[in-house]
Amino acid sequence: MKTVLAFIVSLVALAACSDEKEHLVIGVSQCSDDEWRTQMNREMLREALFYPETEVKIRSAKDNSGIQIEDIETFIKERVDALVVSPNEAETVTPVIEKAFDAGIPVILVDRKIHSGKYTAYVGADNYDIGRRAGFYIVNRLHGKGHVVEITGLRGSTSAEERHRGFMDALAESPEMEVVARADAGFFQQKAEDKFDSILARHKNIDLVFAQNDRMAIGAYQAALKCGRQKDMLFVGIDAVSGEGYGVEKVASGELDATFIYPTSGDKVMQVVMAVLEGKPYDRDTKLQTALVDKSNARVMEMQTEHIFELDKKIEYLNKKVDAYFLRYSSQRMFLYACIVILLLVGALLVFVVRAFWTKNRLNAELSCQKTKLEEQRDQLIDLSHQLEEATHAKLAFFTNVSHDFRTPLTLIADPVDQLLQSRNLNEHERSLLNIAHKNVVVLLRLINQILDFRKFENGKLKLHLSEFDICSEMKEWTEAFRTLSFRKHIRFDMSVDEAGQGYVVIADAEKLERITYNLLSNAFKFTPENGRISVRLSRFRRDEADWLRMQFSDTGIGMSAEHVQHIFERFYQIDVHHAGSGIGLALVKAFVEMHKGVIRVESGKEKGTAFIIEIPMRQAGALEEGLQRNVMLTNLKEGAVLDADLETVSQQDDKFIPEDKETVLVIDDNQDIRDYVRMLLQGKYTVIEAVNGQEGVKQAMKYVPDAIICDVMMPVMDGMECCKRLKSELQTSHIPVMMLTAYAMDEQKIKGYECGADSYLSKPFSAKLLLTRLHNLIANHKRLKSFFSDRAATVQETPLGNIDKGFVDRLYDLIEKRMSDSDLNVENIGSEIGLGRVQLYRKTKALTGYSPNELLRIVRLRKASALMASTEKTIAEIAYEVGFSSPSYFARCYKDYFGESPTDFLKRKNGK
């Protein structure tokens, strides 16, 4: 059955894809829509018929450069396969054409050029040659003597500029030819008529009018006709477009004396475009030929054009007929395929029914046997479930007992630490260490309290201690503890109350609501990135004729998938190993809510933030406890909750100045205390920068290019393994040694870390002396690799550089050798060629070679100069310029500083003088 279905699917796929070919889109941007360009467009569309998979989109700018820029931008966004452009104004349109070329789109210029070499090919007549031929014709026509008026096209277009230049060069050879007037008519007939009308009023003696296209020549003729002076002068144009009212007809009727063929060649344009797209050979500069059209050959051209138009109409008619035949053929073929598929499906259905009948009988027999086995397995699962439940209770009892045992030593640790912190004889380093110990004691006490409370809840011994209080006032106090943290992480943190906070007096357990608040806000601050937002909102509503309170905690953090949302309130559940935690915080929150006869739900999506919504009755049933004292651990709870969230604090290091006299070490860890502790250990000898996760660490490493990196393994957003892999794969950071920190000592994890490119591993808890010693050795070993241009070949082979670093060294060497003679070559040029910023290039080059880029460039030039002086007879000045020095005197000074003798002394020693 599967074979039959696979055959049917293959047949359908074959039918759908048999005629599928690559679809190509060619965008055409015409500067105007005159008769000449209309003919070109027809020729391109006709030629496109020979390429059925090709679609031609034509847009006209209507002589407006702004519209043409928008048209080309549209084609870039549509990612057309090729772009054909006839630029309206070269200077204005050049940038957007360069943009298309840089985006990888082949650009074919037609008729006009741009002020740049960023184009694929040019197709069109030689405008300079046409202008020059027109000039020679006019000189011969007037026998080398006469007064001429020139009417030019659009100022700024290359066609107008080149035609004018060729025309003037031709007239310059005949001193008695004089251009008495010139006007810019922008290639428009009416504008030429208006301009020439004013010229006629100023000049009485005009022998000939030269217009840069036929339309302007006809306009000038119309102006002369109005004055009755059309027979006093000759009119010459360019384009030779056939058709009623166009150039060729005007020459035949005698209104124009002559015109020059400016070939449209739309078919040639399409041929060049397809050659580019298909990877075939093509000429980058295709120059089309021109010819003179005068009274002697104008009628012949008209007859030929009329014949061509008739053939075009027949071709279009035949093309429509072929399309209709293909459409009919495709429809009939698809109908045939459908019939075949239906027949196969009917046959397959019959086979399926027969096999289903046989299978049913066989399965009934097997099911009777399996039923007995399933009943046995069910009994076994029930026994296993009871055993698992007993084991779970035993584990919880164990953790509860251990937690009770932890409280006593933690109390004995906490009190002495508090007393030591009150001493005035501590230095800054000692006080920082004690603060770290104090904060982490608070965190441990909070975790222990959570375990004990959760155990009490499971045993039914956790009770509500009710009191009457204003939840708005309390909530403002609870949330204020997170205000400092919000400033440090640049998070917008706000609290709002519906109905201006009126009527929010509740009867509830204030301590448990407070712990709910701190637990949810701790998570929100932990998983909300910098510049995010966290909000708390209180509102009231009626349910079952009673007042209810709604508390909503929302953030714009990393969010959770729907799969995780279903399980987050389960005890000991963690999203993944990169999100550290006890796994009972949210379970305890849910327990406190249920004790208040309320409900909690969560709304979240990956990268869309998270919202926890809690709804509880505003007045809990039960006796109030007057003078209720808050648990002494609440103060610790506040501090501990904020400390937990504080582990995610983003280090402030933007635009940090990194001194060059110290090595720089980047510390990547999501725990603020670990970062503070490592910074205290290193800051005396090293410059320390920090990052709170792998993603931020990669950014800092690429920005500052440190000398070594210390990275934790387990972090949110991006863990240490992925961070190390990214660092070793980037050109800017591949050479930096990486030391991994981990709380696990498993060999498998270490092996994975080394596979990702880690240079060293250190297990937590670690010795400060061991950390400092390993870091020193990593940096020292890396310094031993700094041997470069003393013997480049040996360096590349013997120095154990990675593939990326070796590739960087080779590219740097090749670039310097290739552009050595360029005296303008500097750090910015080198960085731009290689793809690094100035700071990144400096630190990368310094780390791998021991020299700055400028020093390296100077050394290579001096060594090349020394080789040239030893092997050639060139002068010192010639060699200085050849290797890129701007002056021989500066070259001599640098040479002596490096080799200990001047170039002159070297040549004397070489020649034995």
Side-chain angles (χ1 to χ4, degrees):
M1 186 62 190
K2 293 181 179 179
T3 306
V4 174
L5 290 177
F7 174 73
I8 294 172
V9 171
S10 302
L11 185 63
V12 173
L14 182 62
C17 302
S18 59
D19 288 337
E20 185 177 327
K21 296 181 179 179
E22 183 182 5
H23 182 70
L24 301 175
V25 178
I26 300 171
V28 180
S29 174
Q30 292 284 18
C31 58
S32 62
D33 54 1
D34 54 55
E35 63 278 359
W36 187 85
R37 298 190 188 281
T38 300
Q39 183 171 325
M40 176 192 283
N41 293 341
R42 283 202 304 265
E43 292 171 352
M44 285 193 291
L45 292 172
R46 185 175 64 241
E47 186 68 19
L49 297 176
F50 293 99
Y51 306 95
E53 73 281 4
T54 302
E55 178 185 0
V56 180
K57 294 183 178 181
I58 301 176
R59 291 175 176 265
S60 172
K62 300 186 183 301
D63 303 290
N64 186 313
S65 297
I67 295 176
Q68 186 164 42
I69 292 173
E70 293 177 1
D71 290 343
I72 296 174
E73 289 281 8
T74 300
F75 285 137
I76 295 174
K77 290 178 181 178
E78 294 177 356
R79 297 296 302 171
V80 295
D81 297 283
L83 180 62
V84 178
V85 184
S86 179
N88 190 50
E89 294 174 292
E91 184 173 354
T92 306
V93 183
T94 293
V96 73
I97 294 178
E98 290 181 329
K99 179 180 178 181
F101 184 81
D102 291 338
I105 300 175
V107 177
I108 289 79
L109 299 180
V110 178
D111 169 36
R112 305 177 183 181
K113 292 186 176 180
I114 58 173
H115 294 160
S116 170
K118 288 189 175 183
Y119 62 88
T120 307
Y122 168 77
V123 180
D126 187 336
N127 282 291
Y128 174 83
D129 182 61
I130 288 180
R132 196 161 180 268
R133 285 174 179 248
F136 285 137
Y137 172 78
I138 291 169
V139 170
N140 292 331
R141 192 76 171 82
L142 298 179
H143 306 293
K145 181 178 181 181
H147 299 87
V148 180
V149 172
E150 182 186 14
I151 302 178
T152 63
L154 177 66
R155 183 178 301 169
S157 69
T158 58
S159 59
E161 294 171 355
E162 292 172 357
R163 290 176 187 181
H164 167 72
R165 188 156 43 86
F167 173 70
M168 294 305 296
D169 287 351
L171 262 61
E173 299 181 13
S174 301
E176 296 187 48
M177 295 294 297
E178 179 183 0
V179 178
V180 298
R182 182 177 292 109
D184 177 3
F187 292 121
F188 295 113
Q189 179 174 330
Q190 185 59 48
K191 195 171 181 180
E193 184 176 341
D194 297 339
K195 294 276 187 178
F196 191 61
D197 189 55
S198 61
I199 292 173
L200 287 172
R202 297 195 308 270
H203 298 279
K204 302 301 180 184
N205 185 14
I206 299 174
D207 298 305
L208 187 143
V209 178
F210 168 59
Q212 289 188 356
N213 73 352
D214 290 342
R215 288 197 296 174
M216 294 189 296
I218 295 170
Y221 178 84
Q222 295 295 330
L225 182 63
K226 292 178 183 177
C227 302
R229 296 176 58 184
Q230 75 276 11
K231 295 184 179 180
D232 298 340
M233 60 196 77
L234 301 175
F235 298 88
V236 176
I238 294 177
D239 277 350
V241 177
S242 298
E244 185 177 353
Y246 299 150
V248 175
E249 184 189 67
K250 296 298 182 181
V251 172
S253 65
E255 294 182 17
L256 300 185
D257 181 67
T259 183
F260 285 82
I261 295 175
Y262 192 63
T264 52
S265 295
D267 51 349
K268 184 63 178 177
V269 173
M270 281 299 301
Q271 291 167 10
V272 172
V273 171
M274 296 310 298
V276 171
L277 294 178
E278 294 173 357
K280 297 179 179 178
Y282 65 92
D283 293 329
R284 188 170 189 265
D285 198 357
T286 302
K287 294 292 181 63
L288 305 176
Q289 299 300 317
T290 185
L292 173 68
V293 178
D294 57 13
K295 193 81 171 180
S296 63
N297 60 358
R299 289 299 180 190
V300 175
M301 281 199 63
E302 282 190 309
M303 293 172 61
Q304 290 177 339
T305 303
E306 289 175 1
H307 182 62
I308 291 172
F309 283 165
E310 288 297 325
L311 292 177
D312 285 346
K313 291 179 182 179
K314 292 179 179 179
I315 290 173
E316 291 177 2
Y317 173 77
L318 291 174
N319 182 63
K320 291 178 181 178
K321 296 291 287 183
V322 170
D323 288 343
Y325 290 144
F326 271 115
L327 180 61
R328 186 182 305 169
Y329 166 73
S330 298
S331 300
Q332 292 174 348
R333 185 180 59 178
M334 291 305 297
F335 178 74
L336 177 61
Y337 286 149
C339 291
I340 294 173
V341 169
I342 291 171
L343 289 174
L344 291 174
L345 286 174
V346 171
L349 183 60
L350 290 173
V351 172
F352 177 77
V353 169
V354 173
R355 290 195 61 183
F357 177 75
W358 291 342
T359 304
K360 179 184 177 183
N361 293 334
R362 180 172 53 84
L363 289 177
N364 285 335
E366 292 178 357
L367 284 173
S368 61
C369 296
Q370 291 180 359
K371 181 179 179 182
T372 304
K373 294 180 180 179
L374 287 174
E375 289 175 350
E376 295 175 356
Q377 291 175 356
R378 181 197 60 189
D379 295 337
Q380 293 174 0
L381 287 174
I382 292 174
D383 292 339
L384 288 173
S385 177
H386 289 311
Q387 294 174 16
L388 181 61
E389 186 175 353
E390 291 173 0
T392 301
H393 283 295
K395 288 180 181 178
L396 284 173
F398 169 76
F399 281 122
T400 303
N401 295 332
V402 170
S403 298
H404 279 291
D405 292 339
F406 280 165
R407 291 184 64 139
T408 299
L410 279 175
T411 302
L412 294 176
I413 294 172
D415 189 59
V417 169
D418 287 338
Q419 293 184 32
L420 286 173
L421 281 171
Q422 295 173 9
S423 173
R424 298 182 179 179
N425 298 325
L426 298 174
N427 59 38
E428 182 179 350
H429 180 72
E430 293 169 338
R431 188 171 297 278
S432 298
L433 292 174
L434 285 172
N435 275 325
I436 292 174
H438 173 70
K439 286 193 242 180
N440 285 278
V441 166
V442 170
V443 173
L444 280 174
L445 284 172
R446 181 173 62 83
L447 293 174
I448 289 171
N449 282 340
Q450 286 191 159
I451 293 173
L452 294 176
D453 285 345
F454 190 76
R455 182 63 174 155
K456 287 179 183 179
F457 173 76
E458 286 200 327
N459 292 333
K461 296 180 180 180
L462 191 63
K463 301 186 181 301
L464 292 178
H465 301 283
L466 301 179
S467 61
E468 188 172 14
F469 58 94
D470 187 340
I471 186 64
C472 292
S473 302
E474 294 293 330
M475 186 64 77
K476 289 178 182 177
E477 179 184 344
W478 300 337
T479 57
E480 195 62 31
F482 290 86
R483 191 67 58 189
T484 301
L485 180 58
S486 69
F487 291 142
R488 291 178 64 185
K489 288 194 71 174
H490 304 292
I491 290 176
R492 182 181 174 186
F493 179 44
D494 57 73
M495 174 192 164
S496 60
V497 182
D498 286 2
E499 303 176 13
Q502 299 297 319
Y504 279 86
V505 176
V506 300
I507 295 177
D509 188 328
E511 178 188 344
K512 290 179 175 54
L513 293 185
E514 184 177 20
R515 292 175 68 175
I516 289 172
T517 300
Y518 279 101
N519 226 322
L520 295 180
L521 287 180
S522 296
N523 284 339
F525 275 94
K526 182 178 293 186
F527 297 113
T528 299
E530 188 173 322
N531 299 318
R533 179 176 182 177
I534 298 174
S535 60
V536 179
R537 180 183 176 187
L538 296 182
S539 60
R540 296 185 309 160
F541 65 97
R542 297 282 294 177
R543 177 183 292 173
D544 300 330
E545 299 183 357
D547 291 328
W548 281 61
L549 173 70
R550 179 181 291 116
M551 299 185 292
Q552 180 168 329
F553 302 84
S554 306
D555 64 65
T556 59
I558 59 177
M560 298 173 284
S561 65
E563 176 187 357
H564 293 311
V565 168
Q566 296 176 2
H567 302 286
I568 58 170
F569 293 117
E570 297 176 5
R571 61 187 182 186
F572 311 123
Y573 179 78
Q574 293 176 273
I575 292 178
D576 55 53
V577 297
H578 308 310
H579 295 79
S582 64
I584 64 172
L586 290 177
L588 197 59
V589 166
K590 186 172 185 292
F592 288 164
V593 172
E594 291 175 349
M595 289 179 68
H596 283 83
K597 304 297 186 295
V599 293
I600 182 172
R601 66 180 187 275
V602 60
E603 298 173 355
S604 185
K606 202 70 174 174
E607 308 300 335
K608 295 181 180 179
T610 303
F612 286 90
I613 299 97
I614 296 172
E615 297 174 348
I616 61 173
M618 294 187 69
R619 305 186 72 81
Q620 300 292 322
L624 300 183
E625 299 185 19
E626 298 295 335
L628 182 65
Q629 296 295 319
R630 294 286 180 88
N631 191 314
V632 292
M633 286 303 296
L634 274 180
T635 302
N636 290 336
L637 172 65
K638 292 182 183 180
E639 187 175 358
V642 176
L643 289 173
D644 261 8
D646 195 36
L647 301 180
E648 290 294 323
T649 303
V650 178
S651 57
Q652 306 295 317
Q653 301 171 137
D654 290 343
D655 301 322
K656 177 174 180 177
F657 172 72
I658 305 296
E660 294 184 11
D661 58 341
K662 286 185 178 182
E663 284 94 356
T664 302
V665 178
L666 170 61
V667 180
I668 309 173
D669 199 305
D670 63 327
N671 190 301
Q672 179 72 45
D673 291 335
I674 293 292
R675 297 202 306 273
D676 291 343
Y677 181 60
V678 174
R679 185 178 67 250
M680 282 190 295
L681 294 176
L682 302 182
Q683 62 187 3
K685 186 177 180 181
Y686 304 98
T687 298
V688 181
I689 54 179
E690 302 176 26
V692 301
N693 56 56
Q695 182 174 317
E696 180 68 21
V698 172
K699 292 180 182 178
Q700 297 283 28
M702 294 183 70
K703 180 175 183 180
Y704 295 109
V705 193
D707 297 284
I709 296 173
I710 299 174
C711 181
D712 190 23
V713 172
M714 290 193 359
M715 295 181 291
V717 184
M718 179 189 290
D719 64 17
M721 299 295 184
E722 181 64 23
C723 175
C724 184
K725 188 183 298 182
R726 286 280 303 278
L727 291 170
K728 292 299 183 179
S729 64
E730 294 290 344
L731 174 63
Q732 298 96 318
T733 57
S734 58
H735 66 285
I736 304 174
V738 179
M739 180 190 297
M740 305 291 287
L741 298 180
T742 178
Y744 298 106
M746 295 183 296
D747 289 340
E748 292 83 356
Q749 190 183 62
K750 290 185 178 181
I751 292 171
K752 185 178 179 182
Y754 287 127
E755 288 175 347
C756 292
D759 298 273
S760 180
Y761 240 102
L762 204 60
S763 299
K764 296 178 184 178
F766 53 82
S767 160
K769 186 174 181 181
L770 180 60
L771 173 69
L772 292 170
T773 301
R774 286 197 180 177
L775 182 62
H776 172 77
N777 289 339
L778 280 177
I779 297 177
N781 289 337
H782 188 67
K783 284 182 177 179
R784 296 190 188 103
L785 302 181
K786 295 180 180 179
S787 171
F788 186 64
F789 276 102
S790 57
D791 186 354
R792 177 176 178 263
T795 300
V796 173
Q797 293 172 1
E798 297 172 7
T799 302
L801 297 176
N803 290 335
I804 294 178
D805 294 335
K806 181 180 177 183
F808 170 80
V809 168
D810 290 339
R811 288 175 60 197
L812 182 62
Y813 181 86
D814 293 340
L815 175 61
I816 292 175
E817 280 201 337
K818 181 180 178 181
R819 298 187 57 187
M820 185 186 301
S821 61
D822 184 1
S823 61
D824 294 328
L825 182 63
N826 54 32
V827 178
E828 284 77 10
N829 301 145
I830 297 174
S832 177
E833 291 276 351
I834 291 182
L836 296 178
R838 182 185 181 91
V839 174
Q840 295 170 331
L841 176 65
Y842 175 85
R843 294 185 67 83
K844 179 86 174 177
T845 307
K846 190 81 171 176
L848 290 177
T849 69
Y851 300 106
S852 70
N854 278 329
E855 291 172 336
L856 201 56
L857 178 59
R858 185 167 62 252
I859 289 171
V860 176
R861 283 172 166 165
L862 290 171
R863 291 188 176 180
K864 180 68 173 180
S866 178
L868 289 173
M869 287 193 295
S871 60
T872 68
E873 298 301 324
K874 295 181 179 179
T875 65
I876 293 175
E878 288 174 334
I879 292 174
Y881 291 128
E882 183 174 338
V883 298
F885 281 90
S886 57
S887 68
S889 60
Y890 177 63
F891 163 69
R893 186 165 65 253
C894 292
Y895 189 93
K896 186 171 184 180
D897 289 343
Y898 186 72
F899 289 104
E901 65 176 346
S902 67
T904 305
D905 293 338
F906 174 84
L907 292 177
K908 288 180 180 179
R909 184 162 51 83
K910 170 189 172 185
N911 297 324
K913 295 182 180 179

